[in-house]
């Protein structure tokens, strides 16, 4: 069996494994192995093949690591930024600082913010923040 088939076979195995992991790192290594297979196909020496595989694997891994590092994860409230400042209606008060509110057609647990003063007569409140599954209102 020719050497390039070994390189390409190992690259194919890593691509299949990548389909189950989803990390992109195995794909980067597979790229390096495929490039080494290309060198073998062109008749280059074993040393050149290994060097090309090493450089492509290292470079690809570094690029993926840098890309993931620069792609900061979204903040925990990024999806809720639209909700901040929206109005909610109090359905019922559970105690002086906690209530059930109606928002987006559903009832939510809500708590008053630290600065807010409870007022049982007030029906419409504003969302200040979201803490887990609770709305913080003021």
């Amino acid at each position: 069996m020719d050497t390039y088939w070994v390189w390409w076979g190992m690259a194919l195995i890593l691509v299949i494994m990548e389909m189950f992991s989803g990390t992109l790192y195995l794909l980067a290594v597979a790229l390096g192995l495929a490039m080494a297979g290309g060198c073998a196909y062109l008749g280059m020496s074993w040393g050149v093949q290994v060097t090309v595989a090493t450089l492509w694997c290292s470079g690809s891994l570094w690029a993926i690591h840098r890309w993931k590092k620069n792609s900061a994860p979204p903040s925990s409230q990024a999806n809720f930024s639209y909700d901040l400042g929206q109005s909610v209606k109090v359905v019922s008060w559970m105690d002086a600082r906690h209530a059930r509110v109606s928002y987006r057609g559903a009832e939510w647990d809500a708590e008053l913010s630290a600065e807010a003063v409870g007022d049982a007569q007030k029906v419409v409140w504003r969302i200040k923040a979201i803490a887990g599954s609770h709305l913080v209102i003021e």
Side-chain angles (χ1 to χ4, degrees):
M1 179 186 286
D2 292 322
T3 308
Y4 57 88
W5 285 115
V6 175
W7 286 111
W8 290 340
M10 290 188 305
L12 180 63
I13 290 170
L14 288 178
V15 168
I16 292 169
M17 290 172 57
E18 176 61 40
M19 290 180 189
F20 294 103
S21 73
T23 62
L24 296 178
Y25 290 109
L26 292 176
L27 197 59
V29 175
L31 177 64
L33 298 180
M35 295 302 289
C39 290
Y41 182 76
L42 295 174
M44 296 181 185
S45 70
W46 174 252
V48 172
Q49 295 171 31
V50 172
T51 303
V52 166
T54 302
L55 292 175
W56 272 96
C57 290
S58 300
S60 300
L61 290 172
W62 176 82
I64 290 172
H65 174 72
R66 186 163 172 98
W67 172 69
K68 283 188 173 188
K69 184 178 177 183
N70 291 336
S71 299
S75 70
S76 61
Q77 295 214 1
N79 294 334
F80 301 115
S81 61
Y82 172 77
D83 296 321
L84 301 181
Q86 299 294 320
S87 298
V88 297
K89 292 185 180 180
V90 173
V91 175
S92 64
W93 287 94
M94 293 184 273
D95 60 34
R97 305 228 22 107
H98 296 87
R100 292 288 290 172
V101 298
S102 176
Y103 179 61
R104 289 191 187 182
E107 288 191 7
W108 296 65
D109 288 329
E111 60 183 293
L112 293 178
S113 66
E115 304 84 30
V117 178
D119 182 3
Q121 302 302 319
K122 186 175 176 182
V123 177
V124 178
W125 292 77
R126 188 178 68 81
I127 299 173
K128 179 178 181 179
I130 297 174
S133 62
H134 287 76
L135 299 177
V136 179
I137 58 176
E138 61 180 7

